[in-house]
Amino acid sequence: MYEHDVLVIGGGGAGLRAAIAAHEEGADVAIVTKLHPVRSHTGAAEGGINAALRDADSWEDHAYDTMKGSDFLGDAPAIETFAKNAPDEVINLEHWGMPFSREEDGRVSQRPFGGLSFPRTTYAGAETGHHMLHTMYEQVVKRGIEVYDEWYVSRLAVTDHDDPEDRVCHGCVAYDIKSGEIGGFRATGGVILATGGLGQAFDHTTNAVANTGDGPAMAYRAGVPVEDMEMIQFHPTTLPSTGVLISEGVRGEGGILYNDEGERFMFEDGYANNEGELASRDVVSRAELTEVNEGNGIEDEYVHLDMRHLGEERILDRLENILHLAEDFEGVDGLEEPMPVKPGQHYAMGGIEVDENGETCINGLYAAGECACVSMHGANRLGGNALPELLVFGARAGYHAGGRDLGEARIDTGPSAMSEEEDVQTPVSPGAIDAGDEDIAADGALVEPSEVIDHHVTAEERRVDELLEKEDGVNHAEVRADVQETMTQNVNVFREEDNLKEALEDLRVARERYQDVFVRDPSRTFNTDLIHTIETRNIIDVAEAITLGALAREEFRGAHWRKEHQERKDDEWIKHTMLAWNDGNPTIYYKPVELEGEDKTYEPKERSY
Ligand SMILES: Cc1cc2nc3c(=O)[nH]c(=O)nc-3n(C[C@H](O)[C@H](O)[C@H](O)COP(=O)(O)OP(=O)(O)OC[C@H]3O[C@@H](n4cnc5c(N)ncnc54)[C@H](O)[C@@H]3O)c2cc1C
C-alpha cells in the first residue's frame, strides 16, 4: 500500500495547484494521474485567465460579471471568494515565472473576453494553459512532490456507512498502466479529486479523449451528490471537422462572425445589440445555430469567423497558435480567409458538489477544477474564468487538506442541504442495472482504513480479472459511440422533452450493453482497451446525470434552453439541481442558490449583452 498525507488525483491545473498548496502546509503530498501532468487538458487552454488587476477594475465588478454570466445560478460566497483571490493567484504565477504577454511598459497584458465589463483576461499568447501547466509543474518538481504518472484511479476507498455524510474517504485504488499492478493508496489527510472535464460524453467536443468524467462518476457512486450537471457549455467557435477550439481571444481581439449572407448577424439580427460577438458564450452559440437552422449557415452547418482585418502583425503577436490550428485541421489560412466555426461541447459548469474549502460531504474527500461544482459558474461560465477558478479553489482544497484553517464554509453540502425533493417522470429507470452494486457494501462494517482500502483493491482486482478473462461480448467503443451520438443529438444547445427522454432510453440501452462488455487485449501492460472500457462506464454515468438534470429543469437559464419552457423562471428555479446515487438509484433534489454576498445581495436581473 502506498501512503501519503494528501493524495491529489489528477495532474492538470487544479491538481498541480492543490498539490503545491498542500505541500506549502508541510504535508507529504503525492499526485496520482492517468496522464503525465504536462499532457493534461489544461495545456489546451488558449485564451486566458481573468483577474481584476488594474486600478480601474475591481473584484466586485468581476464578481458581478460572474454572477450575471451564471444567470444567477452561481453561489455568491464562492463567486466572491473567487474574484477576491484571483489577482493574487495570477501574481503568484507571474512570480513563479509564467511568461505572460506584456504591454510596452512591462505590465501584464489584459484583453476583453465575452461577458466581462472590463478587459481583465491575462494571457500568454494563445497558449495560456500550456505555459501555466509548465510553470506549475516546475514548482512540483522543485518541491520534490511525488508524481505517480500513468496510474489510472478507478475507485475511491470509502467507508460503507449508510449515510454518505458519515462516510470517510481513506484513499483510492489505482491501476499502473505501465505494469498492470493494482495498488491501494492511503491518504491520512485527504484525497483531492482534480480529474477535469467530461466532454467525451459528446461526440463534438473541444475536450481531449482523456476527459471522461472519471472524478464525478467515482464521487457520485461513492455517495457525493453531483450538482447542476445539466449545465453544459457549448463554445461558439469550434472547428467543424474536429471540435478543436478557436479561442474566444480571436473575438476578444476583434474577430467578427458572419453568416452565409455576409451579415454580421450578432448585431444585424439583434442577438446582442451591445456586445455583439463578445456576448456570453451561450448567447453566441444559440445565435449561430439559429442562423444555421434558418438556412443562413454555410454548407448548412457553420458560420465564418473572420480575423483578417486585425492584420498579420497583431495576429502573429497574439493569436499565432490559431493560424496553426485553422491550417492544420481545416486547411484554412486565417490571414487570407475566414475560418469555419460552429458550437461544440466545451465545459461542464456542474460537477462534484463542494464548498468553498473544496470539501465534499464525505469526510476527507475534496474536489477542485472542472470536475467540481462549488458553484461559481452556475448556468454559464464566462470565458477566462475556469483557469482562475482552478487556481483559487485548487489552492484552497490543498491548503485545507494540508491542515490550514480557512474558516467555516458558507456553502452547505450533502443530502442534508436539501430544500425539496423532485419526482421526475423518466421513460426508463436510471442508474445501475444491479442496484447495490459492490461499490459500497452499505452495512457500516467497513471502517478501519487499511481494511477499507484492501476491500476496494480486492473488488477492483476482481473487476479487472473479469474484464480481461471474458472472451467475447460488446466492444466498449460501440457503446461509447452510441452514448456520444445520442448526447450530441438530444442533449445539445437546444433541448426538447421528447429528445431528452429518447436520450435516457438510449443511455439505458448503453448500460445494458455495457453489462456484456469485454476487453479484446488480454495483456496487463499499456492496455488502453482496458482503460477505455473502464472510462466508458463513467461516461454513461455522467451522461445520464446530465440528461436527468436537463429533463428536471423546466425553464431556460444560461446554457440550458428548453423548447417547452423558453423563459427564465426565477420564482421557481433559482435552485441547484442535485443528484444523489443512493446505492445505484439516482434521486433528484434541490438546494437553494446563495445570492447573498458579504455586503450585498445579487438581485436577479434580465441578462442582456
Ligand atoms: C480547448 C480548451 C480551451 C480552454 N481555454 C480556456 C481559457 O483560455 N481560459 C479558461 O479559463 N479556461 C479555458 N478552458 C477551460 C479550462 O482549460 C479547463 O476547465 C481546465 O484546464 C481544467 O483543468 P483541470 O485541472 O480541472 O483538469 P485537466 O487539466 O483536464 O486535468 C485533469 C487531470 O486528471 C487526470 N485524471 C483524470 N481522470 C483520472 C483518473 N481516473 N485517474 C488518474 N488521473 C486522472 C488527468 O490525467 C489530468 O492530469 C479551456 C478548455 C478547453 C477544452
Side-chain angles (χ1 to χ4, degrees), residues 17 81-83 85-86 89 387-397:
R17 186 64 191 94
T81 303
F82 158 75
N85 287 288
E89 285 295 329
L387 296 179
E389 183 215 346
L390 65 79
L391 292 170
V392 169
F393 292 107
R396 288 178 74 83

Side-chain angles (χ1 to χ4, degrees), residues 287-355:
E288 288 178 2
L289 280 188
T290 305
E291 289 297 308
V292 171
N293 293 344
E294 288 177 355
N296 298 329
I298 298 143
E299 294 184 6
D300 283 336
E301 192 190 359
Y302 56 85
V303 296
H304 272 146
L305 175 61
D306 199 348
M307 62 176 182
R308 290 173 294 181
H309 56 286
L310 301 179
E312 186 169 350
E313 192 183 336
R314 184 156 165 201
I315 292 173
L316 287 177
D317 181 37
R318 299 181 174 197
L319 299 165
E320 187 185 348
N321 184 36
I322 303 301
L323 288 178
H324 300 309
L325 296 176
E327 179 71 48
D328 293 348
F329 292 100
E330 296 289 339
V332 167
D333 177 355
L335 291 174
E336 301 290 336
E337 304 157 90
M339 299 172 285
V341 290
K342 72 176 200 180
Q345 191 284 343
H346 183 58
Y347 186 84
M349 271 76 77
I352 303 164
E353 183 203 36
V354 291
D355 64 24

Side-chain angles (χ1 to χ4, degrees), residues 10 33-36 39-42 152-153 177 194-201 205-216 371 480 484 531-532 534-536 538-539:
T33 172
K34 67 181 178 182
L35 302 175
H36 185 277
R39 293 187 58 224
S40 303
H41 207 51
T42 294
Y152 180 90
V153 176
I177 299 169
T195 57
L198 48 73
Q200 288 302 317
T205 175
T206 61
N207 283 201
V209 283
N211 289 13
T212 49
D214 297 352
C371 70
R480 189 185 285 218
Q484 292 170 334
I531 298 300
H532 291 172
I534 297 172
E535 287 171 344
T536 297
N538 296 332
I539 288 174

